[in-house]
Protein backbone atom coordinates (compact mmCIF):
# COMPACT_ATOMS: atom_id res chain seq x y z
CA UNK A 1 0.00 0.00 0.00
CA UNK A 2 1.71 3.18 -1.22
CA UNK A 3 -1.09 5.69 -0.71
CA UNK A 4 -4.29 5.80 1.36
CA UNK A 5 -6.86 7.28 -0.99
CA UNK A 6 -10.21 5.53 -0.69
CA UNK A 7 -11.70 2.43 0.94
CA UNK A 8 -12.45 0.82 -2.43
CA UNK A 9 -8.66 0.58 -3.06
CA UNK A 10 -8.25 -1.60 0.04
CA UNK A 11 -8.63 -5.33 0.53
CA UNK A 12 -10.36 -6.97 3.47
CA UNK A 13 -6.92 -7.98 4.80
CA UNK A 14 -5.53 -4.44 4.59
CA UNK A 15 -8.50 -3.02 6.52
CA UNK A 16 -8.10 -5.80 9.06
CA UNK A 17 -4.35 -5.10 9.38
CA UNK A 18 -5.01 -1.40 10.13
CA UNK A 19 -7.66 -2.33 12.70
CA UNK A 20 -5.39 -4.92 14.35
CA UNK A 21 -2.56 -2.41 14.59
CA UNK A 22 -4.84 0.30 16.04
CA UNK A 23 -6.29 -2.08 18.64
CA UNK A 24 -2.77 -3.22 19.50
CA UNK A 25 -1.71 0.42 20.12
CA UNK A 26 -4.79 0.84 22.30
CA UNK A 27 -3.90 -2.06 24.58
CA UNK A 28 -0.14 -1.44 24.45
CA UNK A 29 0.74 2.17 23.49
CA UNK A 30 4.30 1.56 22.34
CA UNK A 31 5.05 3.06 18.94
CA UNK A 32 7.84 2.40 16.43
CA UNK A 33 10.29 5.16 15.47
CA UNK A 34 9.93 6.70 12.00
CA UNK A 35 11.88 9.86 12.79
CA UNK A 36 13.72 9.72 9.46
CA UNK A 37 10.42 10.60 7.70
CA UNK A 38 8.75 14.04 7.39
CA UNK A 39 4.99 14.74 7.11
CA UNK A 40 3.13 17.76 5.71
CA UNK A 41 -0.54 18.42 6.45
CA UNK A 42 -2.23 20.39 3.68
CA UNK A 43 -5.80 21.31 4.60
CA UNK A 44 -7.61 23.35 1.97
CA UNK A 45 -10.88 22.91 3.93
CA UNK A 46 -11.42 23.53 7.64
CA UNK A 47 -10.81 20.70 10.08
CA UNK A 48 -10.33 20.11 13.78
CA UNK A 49 -10.43 16.34 14.37
CA UNK A 50 -8.77 15.05 11.20
CA UNK A 51 -5.91 17.55 11.09
CA UNK A 52 -5.03 17.36 14.78
CA UNK A 53 -5.30 13.57 14.92
CA UNK A 54 -3.04 13.15 11.87
CA UNK A 55 -0.55 15.45 13.60
CA UNK A 56 -0.74 13.46 16.85
CA UNK A 57 -0.48 10.21 14.86
CA UNK A 58 2.77 11.41 13.25
CA UNK A 59 4.09 12.49 16.65
CA UNK A 60 3.31 9.02 18.05
CA UNK A 61 5.67 7.69 15.38
CA UNK A 62 8.29 10.41 16.08
CA UNK A 63 7.70 11.98 12.64
CA UNK A 64 8.28 15.77 12.43
CA UNK A 65 5.14 17.50 11.04
CA UNK A 66 4.67 20.66 8.99
CA UNK A 67 1.18 22.20 8.97
CA UNK A 68 1.19 24.30 5.83
CA UNK A 69 -0.84 27.48 6.28
CA UNK A 70 -2.60 27.43 2.91
CA UNK A 71 -3.75 31.07 3.12
CA UNK A 72 -0.14 32.18 3.56
CA UNK A 73 1.44 29.69 1.15
CA UNK A 74 2.65 30.52 -2.34
CA UNK A 75 -0.53 29.04 -3.80
CA UNK A 76 -2.05 32.45 -2.98
CA UNK A 77 0.44 33.81 -5.56
CA UNK A 78 -0.73 31.35 -8.21
CA UNK A 79 1.46 28.30 -7.58
CA UNK A 80 -0.22 25.02 -8.54
CA UNK A 81 -0.81 22.39 -5.85
CA UNK A 82 1.34 19.97 -7.92
CA UNK A 83 4.26 22.42 -7.69
CA UNK A 84 3.70 23.01 -3.97
CA UNK A 85 3.96 19.26 -3.37
CA UNK A 86 6.98 18.91 -5.67
CA UNK A 87 8.77 21.64 -3.69
CA UNK A 88 7.90 20.08 -0.33
CA UNK A 89 9.07 16.73 -1.69
CA UNK A 90 12.35 18.39 -2.75
CA UNK A 91 12.79 19.52 0.89
CA UNK A 92 12.61 15.90 2.04
CA UNK A 93 8.92 15.46 2.89
CA UNK A 94 7.60 12.00 2.01
CA UNK A 95 4.14 11.95 3.63
CA UNK A 96 1.33 14.26 2.54
CA UNK A 97 -2.03 14.40 4.33
CA UNK A 98 -4.40 16.36 2.11
CA UNK A 99 -7.95 17.61 2.53
CA UNK A 100 -9.38 19.36 -0.50
CA UNK A 101 -12.74 20.41 -1.90
CA UNK A 102 -11.87 18.95 -5.33
CA UNK A 103 -12.92 15.32 -5.64
CA UNK A 104 -10.17 12.93 -6.67
CA UNK A 105 -7.33 15.45 -6.38
CA UNK A 106 -5.30 13.25 -4.02
CA UNK A 107 -5.50 10.37 -6.50
CA UNK A 108 -4.41 12.63 -9.36
CA UNK A 109 -1.47 13.94 -7.30
CA UNK A 110 -0.43 10.41 -6.33
CA UNK A 111 -0.36 9.53 -10.02
CA UNK A 112 1.45 12.63 -11.27
CA UNK A 113 4.10 12.92 -8.53
CA UNK A 114 5.23 9.33 -8.85
CA UNK A 115 7.10 7.17 -6.38
CA UNK A 116 8.92 8.18 -3.24
CA UNK A 117 5.97 9.86 -1.53
CA UNK A 118 2.83 8.70 0.25
CA UNK A 119 -0.45 10.58 -0.06
CA UNK A 120 -3.26 10.26 2.47
CA UNK A 121 -6.77 11.44 1.60
CA UNK A 122 -8.12 13.40 4.57
CA UNK A 123 -11.38 14.14 2.70
CA UNK A 124 -12.07 15.17 -0.91
CA UNK A 125 -15.25 17.12 -1.60
CA UNK A 126 -18.32 14.90 -1.33
CA UNK A 127 -16.39 11.84 -2.51
CA UNK A 128 -14.44 10.06 0.25
CA UNK A 129 -13.22 10.28 3.85
CA UNK A 130 -11.54 6.89 4.27
CA UNK A 131 -9.79 7.43 7.62
CA UNK A 132 -13.13 8.51 9.13
CA UNK A 133 -14.71 5.25 7.93
CA UNK A 134 -11.81 3.30 9.47
CA UNK A 135 -12.14 4.96 12.88
CA UNK A 136 -15.92 4.54 12.79
CA UNK A 137 -15.49 0.83 12.12
CA UNK A 138 -12.96 0.49 14.94
CA UNK A 139 -15.39 2.17 17.35
CA UNK A 140 -18.30 -0.06 16.28
CA UNK A 141 -16.15 -3.19 16.73
CA UNK A 142 -15.28 -2.17 20.30
CA UNK A 143 -18.95 -2.26 21.26
CA UNK A 144 -20.46 -4.70 18.73
CA UNK A 145 -17.83 -7.18 17.54
CA UNK A 146 -19.99 -9.34 15.23
CA UNK A 147 -20.56 -7.13 12.19
CA UNK A 148 -22.63 -9.75 10.38
CA UNK A 149 -25.35 -9.53 13.03
CA UNK A 150 -25.60 -5.73 13.10
CA UNK A 151 -28.13 -3.29 11.79
CA UNK A 152 -26.42 0.08 11.26
CA UNK A 153 -28.50 3.19 10.49
CA UNK A 154 -26.96 6.32 8.96
CA UNK A 155 -29.10 9.49 9.13
CA UNK A 156 -28.68 12.75 7.23
CA UNK A 157 -27.51 14.21 3.98
CA UNK A 158 -26.34 10.98 2.35
CA UNK A 159 -26.20 12.47 -1.14
CA UNK A 160 -23.53 15.06 -0.30
CA UNK A 161 -21.60 13.13 2.35
CA UNK A 162 -18.08 11.80 1.79
CA UNK A 163 -18.46 9.94 5.09
CA UNK A 164 -21.56 8.14 3.76
CA UNK A 165 -19.68 7.07 0.62
CA UNK A 166 -16.72 5.67 2.56
CA UNK A 167 -19.00 3.95 5.09
CA UNK A 168 -20.91 2.18 2.32
CA UNK A 169 -17.60 0.86 0.95
CA UNK A 170 -16.20 -0.31 4.29
CA UNK A 171 -19.46 -1.86 5.56
CA UNK A 172 -19.85 -3.77 2.29
CA UNK A 173 -16.22 -4.95 2.33
CA UNK A 174 -16.26 -6.05 5.98
CA UNK A 175 -19.69 -7.74 5.87
CA UNK A 176 -22.05 -5.61 7.95
CA UNK A 177 -25.38 -7.50 8.14
CA UNK A 178 -27.76 -4.62 7.43
CA UNK A 179 -26.95 -1.03 6.53
CA UNK A 180 -29.78 1.45 6.11
CA UNK A 181 -29.41 5.08 5.07
CA UNK A 182 -32.16 7.46 6.18
CA UNK A 183 -32.68 10.77 4.39
CA UNK A 184 -35.39 12.99 2.98
CA UNK A 185 -35.84 12.41 -0.77
CA UNK A 186 -33.69 15.41 -1.90
CA UNK A 187 -30.76 13.98 0.11
CA UNK A 188 -31.00 10.44 -1.15
CA UNK A 189 -28.13 9.46 -3.47
CA UNK A 190 -28.90 8.53 -7.09
CA UNK A 191 -26.60 5.48 -6.75
CA UNK A 192 -25.56 3.39 -3.77
CA UNK A 193 -22.67 0.92 -3.40
CA UNK A 194 -24.01 -0.96 -0.39
CA UNK A 195 -27.11 -0.98 1.79
CA UNK A 196 -30.59 0.43 1.30
CA UNK A 197 -32.25 3.85 1.56
CA UNK A 198 -35.45 5.01 3.23
CA UNK A 199 -37.04 8.36 4.03
CA UNK A 200 -38.67 6.97 7.18
CA UNK A 201 -36.72 7.55 10.39
CA UNK A 202 -38.83 5.15 12.43
CA UNK A 203 -38.44 2.36 9.85
CA UNK A 204 -34.73 2.98 9.52
CA UNK A 205 -34.07 3.05 13.26
CA UNK A 206 -36.19 -0.02 14.02
CA UNK A 207 -34.05 -2.49 16.01
CA UNK A 208 -30.84 -0.67 15.00
CA UNK A 209 -27.65 -1.55 16.91
CA UNK A 210 -25.74 1.52 15.73
CA UNK A 211 -27.04 4.99 14.80
CA UNK A 212 -24.67 7.30 12.95
CA UNK A 213 -25.79 10.92 12.45
CA UNK A 214 -24.34 13.19 9.80
CA UNK A 215 -23.88 16.92 10.14
CA UNK A 216 -26.64 19.05 8.64
CA UNK A 217 -24.87 21.30 6.20
CA UNK A 218 -26.99 24.38 6.88
CA UNK A 219 -25.59 26.11 3.82
CA UNK A 220 -26.98 23.29 1.63
CA UNK A 221 -30.27 22.96 3.46
CA UNK A 222 -31.38 26.42 2.47
CA UNK A 223 -30.83 25.55 -1.19
CA UNK A 224 -32.80 22.31 -1.17
CA UNK A 225 -36.44 22.51 -2.20
CA UNK A 226 -38.98 21.90 0.57
CA UNK A 227 -36.30 21.55 3.23
CA UNK A 228 -35.77 23.88 6.12
CA UNK A 229 -34.15 23.37 9.49
CA UNK A 230 -37.40 23.06 11.42
CA UNK A 231 -38.82 20.58 8.92
CA UNK A 232 -35.63 18.52 9.00
CA UNK A 233 -35.52 18.51 12.80
CA UNK A 234 -39.14 17.44 13.07
CA UNK A 235 -38.65 14.39 10.84
CA UNK A 236 -34.99 13.38 11.20
CA UNK A 237 -33.37 14.68 14.41
CA UNK A 238 -32.10 12.04 16.82
CA UNK A 239 -33.91 12.88 20.05
CA UNK A 240 -34.49 10.84 23.19
CA UNK A 241 -38.00 10.05 22.00
CA UNK A 242 -36.91 8.49 18.69
CA UNK A 243 -34.23 6.37 20.37
CA UNK A 244 -36.97 4.00 21.54
CA UNK A 245 -37.23 2.59 18.00
CA UNK A 246 -33.63 1.34 18.11
CA UNK A 247 -32.32 -1.41 20.39
CA UNK A 248 -31.95 -0.28 24.03
CA UNK A 249 -28.17 -0.77 23.86
CA UNK A 250 -27.74 1.00 20.51
CA UNK A 251 -24.69 3.23 20.29
CA UNK A 252 -24.89 6.78 18.90
CA UNK A 253 -22.12 8.07 16.64
CA UNK A 254 -21.34 11.25 14.72
CA UNK A 255 -18.19 12.10 12.72
CA UNK A 256 -18.30 15.71 13.95
CA UNK A 257 -18.56 18.62 13.94
CA UNK A 258 -22.01 18.38 15.56
CA UNK A 259 -24.75 21.00 15.29
CA UNK A 260 -26.16 20.51 18.77
CA UNK A 261 -29.95 20.62 18.74
CA UNK A 262 -30.23 20.19 14.96
CA UNK A 263 -29.30 16.69 13.80
CA UNK A 264 -28.73 15.50 17.36
CA UNK A 265 -30.15 16.63 20.70
CA UNK A 266 -27.63 17.62 23.35
CA UNK A 267 -29.11 15.12 25.81
CA UNK A 268 -28.46 12.27 23.32
CA UNK A 269 -25.03 13.56 22.36
CA UNK A 270 -23.97 13.70 26.01
CA UNK A 271 -25.97 10.62 27.04
CA UNK A 272 -24.79 7.17 28.05
CA UNK A 273 -25.31 5.69 24.57
CA UNK A 274 -23.11 8.26 22.84
CA UNK A 275 -19.64 7.09 21.76
CA UNK A 276 -18.80 10.25 19.82
CA UNK A 277 -15.70 11.12 21.83
CA UNK A 278 -14.55 7.48 21.68
CA UNK A 279 -14.55 7.89 17.88
CA UNK A 280 -12.26 10.90 18.27
CA UNK A 281 -9.90 8.97 20.58
CA UNK A 282 -9.80 6.03 18.14
CA UNK A 283 -9.10 8.46 15.29
CA UNK A 284 -5.58 9.10 16.57
CA UNK A 285 -4.82 5.36 16.81
CA UNK A 286 -6.31 4.47 13.42
CA UNK A 287 -4.36 7.29 11.75
CA UNK A 288 -1.16 6.16 13.49
CA UNK A 289 -1.80 2.66 12.14
CA UNK A 290 -2.48 3.98 8.61
CA UNK A 291 0.80 5.93 8.57
CA UNK A 292 2.74 2.94 9.93
CA UNK A 293 1.27 0.64 7.29
CA UNK A 294 2.23 3.09 4.51
CA UNK A 295 5.82 3.31 5.75
CA UNK A 296 6.47 -0.40 6.27
N1 LIG B 1 -14.99 14.31 11.07
C1 LIG B 1 -14.19 15.26 10.55
O1 LIG B 1 -13.69 15.13 9.43
O2 LIG B 1 -14.02 16.34 11.36
P1 LIG B 1 -13.10 17.59 10.99
O3 LIG B 1 -13.76 18.30 9.82
O4 LIG B 1 -13.05 18.43 12.23
O5 LIG B 1 -11.76 17.08 10.59
Amino acid sequence: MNHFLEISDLTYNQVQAILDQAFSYKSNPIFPDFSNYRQANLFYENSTRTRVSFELAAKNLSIPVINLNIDHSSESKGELIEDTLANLKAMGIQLFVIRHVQEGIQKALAKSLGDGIHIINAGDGTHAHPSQAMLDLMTILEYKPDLSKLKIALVGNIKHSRVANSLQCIFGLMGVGQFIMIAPKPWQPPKIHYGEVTDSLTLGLKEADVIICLRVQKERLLNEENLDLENYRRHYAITESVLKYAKPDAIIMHPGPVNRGIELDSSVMDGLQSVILKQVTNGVLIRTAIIQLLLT
Side-chain angles (χ1 to χ4, degrees):
M1 195 170 88
N2 223 16
H3 306 286
F4 184 81
L5 299 172
E6 56 187 51
I7 298 294
S8 54
D9 290 342
L10 303 176
T11 62
Y12 179 97
N13 286 341
Q14 285 172 326
V15 171
Q16 196 58 55
I18 294 168
L19 290 167
D20 290 346
Q21 185 62 73
F23 279 120
S24 158
Y25 289 145
K26 194 154 193 173
S27 55
N28 183 25
I30 295 174
F31 302 97
D33 185 318
F34 287 96
S35 54
N36 51 333
Y37 287 89
R38 303 285 178 271
Q39 175 174 313
N41 292 338
L42 282 72
F43 278 67
Y44 294 81
E45 276 187 352
N46 294 340
S47 169
T48 298
R49 282 145 287 267
T50 313
R51 197 198 60 72
V52 174
S53 59
F54 267 118
E55 180 166 353
L56 290 173
K59 287 178 175 168
N60 278 340
L61 300 170
S62 308
I63 300 173
V65 184
I66 306 298
N67 285 299
L68 191 69
N69 185 332
I70 303 296
D71 290 340
H72 292 92
S73 78
S74 289
E75 284 187 49
S76 63
K77 300 181 211 163
E79 185 171 67
L80 298 178
I81 185 171
E82 290 83 348
D83 291 325
T84 300
L85 258 70
N87 280 269
L88 295 173
K89 181 182 171 186
M91 290 183 222
I93 293 173
Q94 305 91 347
L95 260 170
F96 295 90
V97 179
I98 304 173
R99 170 171 286 188
H100 205 285
V101 71
Q102 192 180 321
E103 294 176 17
I105 194 163
Q106 294 91 341
K107 190 166 254 185
L109 289 166
K111 205 167 161 196
S112 68
L113 285 165
D115 294 335
I117 61 164
H118 306 279
I119 293 185
I120 295 176
N121 180 0
D124 60 327
T126 59
H127 172 241
H129 195 351
S131 63
Q132 180 69 45
M134 288 287 329
L135 74 89
D136 289 348
L137 183 62
M138 178 180 179
T139 309
I140 292 167
L141 286 166
E142 275 191 310
Y143 291 87
K144 316 268 177 190
D146 190 348
L147 293 179
S148 67
K149 291 206 171 78
L150 294 187
K151 175 177 176 180
I152 301 181
L154 177 68
V155 190
N157 190 343
I158 312 293
K159 187 174 169 183
H160 297 109
S161 169
R162 56 190 173 210
V163 177
N165 275 338
S166 292
L167 286 177
Q168 286 179 60
C169 295
I170 208 162
F171 290 162
L173 181 66
M174 303 311 281
V176 164
Q178 196 186 355
F179 180 46
I180 187 151
M181 291 168 276
I182 307 161
K185 291 248 159 35
W187 285 355
Q188 294 185 0
K191 207 172 101 185
I192 56 173
H193 329 292
Y194 183 70
E196 51 195 313
V197 183
T198 177
D199 62 359
S200 162
L201 185 68
T202 51
L203 191 75
L205 292 188
K206 194 163 182 272
E207 293 296 303
D209 300 280
V210 178
I211 302 168
I212 309 174
C213 301
L214 295 171
R215 182 175 73 89
V216 168
Q217 296 146 311
K218 284 182 254 181
E219 63 283 7
R220 282 194 201 284
L221 198 84
L222 301 173
N223 297 329
E224 301 283 350
E225 225 180 318
N226 298 327
L227 277 178
D228 59 63
L229 273 185
E230 215 18 72
N231 196 13
Y232 181 84
R233 247 199 78 69
R234 200 163 42 246
H235 293 106
Y236 295 99
I238 301 301
T239 61
E240 286 189 58
S241 65
V242 302
L243 278 187
K244 67 174 181 284
Y245 296 108
K247 287 191 179 152
D249 64 345
I251 55 171
I252 315 296
M253 300 173 60
H254 193 304
V258 177
N259 294 300
R260 280 181 184 264
I262 297 181
E263 66 265 14
L264 187 59
D265 272 4
S266 270
S267 59
V268 179
M269 181 172 169
D270 301 328
L272 291 175
Q273 288 169 261
S274 170
V275 297
I276 294 169
L277 291 177
K278 307 275 186 212
Q279 290 172 263
V280 179
T281 303
N282 287 339
V284 178
L285 300 173
I286 275 290
R287 288 167 175 137
T288 309
I290 290 168
I291 295 172
Q292 180 176 349
L293 205 78
L294 286 175
L295 300 183
T296 45

